[in-house]
Amino acid sequence: MKYIFLFLLMPFLSQASYGNHDADELHFRESVNITAHKYYLSVSNLKYNAKAGALQMTSRFFIDDLEDVLSARADENIILTEDGNLTKHKQLIGDYFTSRLRVKVDGDLIPIDYLGSEIDNDQLVLYIEIPVDREPLEIEMRFTALMELFEDQKNMVHLKIRGERKTLLMVAKKKIDSVKF
């Protein structure tokens, strides 16, 4: 009942003045779009681990998006949330990410090691190592995961090297990003 009352009052409320702004300038109530928009974003964290002699990277992807791209690649329906399927498809997941992630450290292309993954709610958490013999001064990355499926895909990598925090952002129009420390 209170919603009907507010609905009936809307024409009167829209005539009100808000400070120095007329209600006609603030038509936010009428321009609200209630349709959902899906964002395509992966977030990764990368840090140097001297004991492991590697850059260690953790990446998060929504499971349903990753299942779509892996299904298209394998030409079969891949469902990662079923028992045993992460182990069963470890090679497929690893091959996909090694083909979509290129890392240059101090100018040298370094092969990545896909260690494995685990499910965390609706996301797949990936564990990747990039072997290096010292803390890098410069990192260049090309990270195109899911970009073949979603043109709006963004892959963000937060780095912590030498006590500094920096971020790389790869998008369809700029697939390579770099940072110096």
Side-chain angles (χ1 to χ4, degrees):
M1 188 65 161
K2 64 181 171 184
Y3 297 110
I4 294 172
F5 178 72
L6 285 174
F7 179 75
L8 292 173
L9 281 178
M10 279 304 243
F12 300 107
L13 293 174
S14 68
Q15 299 303 318
S17 180
Y18 298 93
N20 292 333
H21 300 283
D22 192 283
D24 289 341
E25 295 178 81
L26 301 171
H27 275 142
F28 63 89
R29 287 186 305 270
E30 295 171 15
S31 64
V32 174
N33 185 353
I34 59 172
T35 59
H37 175 73
K38 189 167 183 178
Y39 291 93
Y40 300 102
L41 175 70
S42 75
V43 178
S44 302
N45 290 300
L46 184 138
K47 66 178 182 167
Y48 176 69
N49 183 328
K51 281 185 181 180
L55 295 169
Q56 296 179 323
M57 184 167 158
T58 304
S59 296
R60 291 180 167 271
F61 289 86
F62 286 105
I63 293 170
D64 59 338
D65 295 340
L66 196 52
E67 287 173 339
D68 289 344
V69 79
L70 293 174
S71 293
R73 195 173 173 102
D75 201 28
E76 68 175 277
N77 191 28
I78 304 290
I79 300 177
L80 297 173
T81 54
E82 290 181 356
D83 284 343
N85 275 1
L86 279 182
T87 303
K88 176 182 174 184
H89 296 297
K90 182 179 180 181
Q91 184 70 43
L92 179 64
I93 296 167
D95 289 348
Y96 176 73
F97 280 96
T98 56
S99 73
R100 296 291 172 185
L101 176 61
R102 297 278 187 259
V103 180
K104 282 187 179 180
V105 176
D106 297 330
D108 296 324
L109 183 64
I110 309 292
I112 69 163
D113 293 329
Y114 168 72
L115 303 177
S117 56
E118 66 181 339
I119 294 173
D120 183 20
N121 296 316
D122 61 346
Q123 296 180 354
L124 188 68
V125 182
L126 303 158
Y127 300 100
I128 296 166
E129 279 192 344
I130 301 129
V132 293
D133 54 1
R134 61 179 162 46
E135 206 165 17
L137 297 171
E138 182 178 3
I139 296 175
E140 179 183 287
M141 192 174 289
R142 182 179 197 273
F143 196 12
T144 60
L146 301 183
M147 287 185 188
E148 71 274 29
L149 193 61
F150 307 112
E151 63 184 40
D152 294 337
Q153 176 70 30
K154 294 173 181 66
N155 295 321
M156 183 182 299
V157 180
H158 300 295
L159 302 98
K160 186 174 181 186
I161 307 289
R162 300 178 185 275
E164 288 185 70
R165 293 181 190 271
K166 298 197 177 185
T167 299
L168 300 173
L169 180 64
M170 282 68 59
V171 296
K173 292 183 179 180
K174 185 180 172 241
K175 294 179 173 122
I176 298 173
D177 201 0
S178 63
V179 66
K180 291 183 181 185
F181 294 94

